[in-house]
């Protein structure tokens, strides 16, 4: 039908919007006359991929402004012998590096942090190491609670 479809645009160096030069952008046609084409995926000239965002700020940047999960990572592998069935994150090597950081919507409060030493901190944390964690789990499994600024 005429009320759906896709287009892929590759913008070269002569394109009149400098931010989009050399980008590859996927659009979906939704039939709405006010906004007929919705950008769904962008691959910019620096190699960043954006889903739901026109100017990705990282190698993978996902933005969703409607209800529902912004992303789901699911591994349905059923082989019992396969030990590599999950999510692998490699990053960080000291207490100031965040391997995993969960922040509020504004980015002003870190709610959960796993640092490069394996410490897990839950609570209101400073973005660059330290801060006051409500709960801290050290790599050896020791649980600290209260206002631990680091896992001893």
């Amino acid at each position: 039908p005429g009320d759906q479809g896709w287009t892929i645009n590759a913008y070269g160096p002569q394109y009149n919007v400098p931010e989009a030069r050399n980008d590859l952008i996927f659009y979906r046609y939704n039939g709405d006359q006010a906004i007929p084409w919705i950008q769904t995926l962008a691959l910019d000239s620096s190699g960043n991929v954006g889903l739901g965002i026109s100017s990705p700020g990282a190698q993978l940047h996902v933005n969703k402004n409607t209800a529902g999960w912004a992303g789901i990572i699911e591994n349905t592998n059923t082989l019992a012998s396969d030990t590599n069935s999950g999510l692998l994150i490699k990053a960080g090597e000291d207490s100031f590096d965040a391997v995993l950081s969960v922040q509020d919507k504004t980015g002003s409060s870190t709610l959960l942090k796993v640092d490069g030493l394996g410490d897990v901190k839950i609570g209101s944390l400073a973005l660059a190491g330290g801060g006051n964690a409500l709960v801290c789990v050290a790599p050896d499994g020791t649980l600290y609670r209260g206002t631990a600024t680091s896992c001893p």
Side-chain angles (χ1 to χ4, degrees):
D3 62 351
Q4 57 188 349
W6 290 84
T7 185
I8 302 170
N9 295 347
Y11 297 111
Q14 303 303 314
Y15 187 62
N16 62 356
V17 179
E19 302 84 41
R21 291 182 183 156
N22 301 312
D23 293 358
L24 180 63
I25 301 176
F26 291 72
Y27 294 91
R28 178 182 52 83
Y29 184 75
N30 70 354
D32 182 348
Q33 294 305 309
I35 307 173
W37 292 96
I38 306 295
Q39 181 176 322
T40 57
L41 183 138
L43 173 61
D44 72 16
S45 58
S46 62
N48 292 340
V49 175
L51 297 169
I53 188 161
S54 58
S55 299
Q59 284 187 320
L60 176 60
H61 189 158
V62 179
N63 182 51
K64 182 175 168 85
N65 62 3
T66 58
W69 297 105
I72 296 174
I73 298 172
E74 181 177 8
N75 184 332
T76 58
N77 181 10
T78 58
L79 298 176
S81 62
D82 189 354
T83 59
N84 299 319
S85 340
L87 176 64
L88 174 64
I89 300 173
K90 290 185 175 185
E93 55 186 42
D94 62 35
S95 63
F96 293 100
D97 292 339
V99 173
L100 174 66
S101 180
V102 177
Q103 299 178 1
D104 68 358
K105 184 177 180 177
T106 65
S108 61
S109 293
T110 299
L111 308 173
L112 176 124
K113 177 183 176 186
V114 179
D115 69 24
L117 297 178
D119 293 349
V120 178
K121 299 174 184 177
I122 303 170
S124 178
L125 306 169
L127 293 179
N132 292 324
L134 299 177
V135 176
C136 180
V137 182
D140 66 1
T142 305
L143 178 67
Y144 299 92
R145 63 184 184 93
T147 57
T149 58
S150 64
C151 288

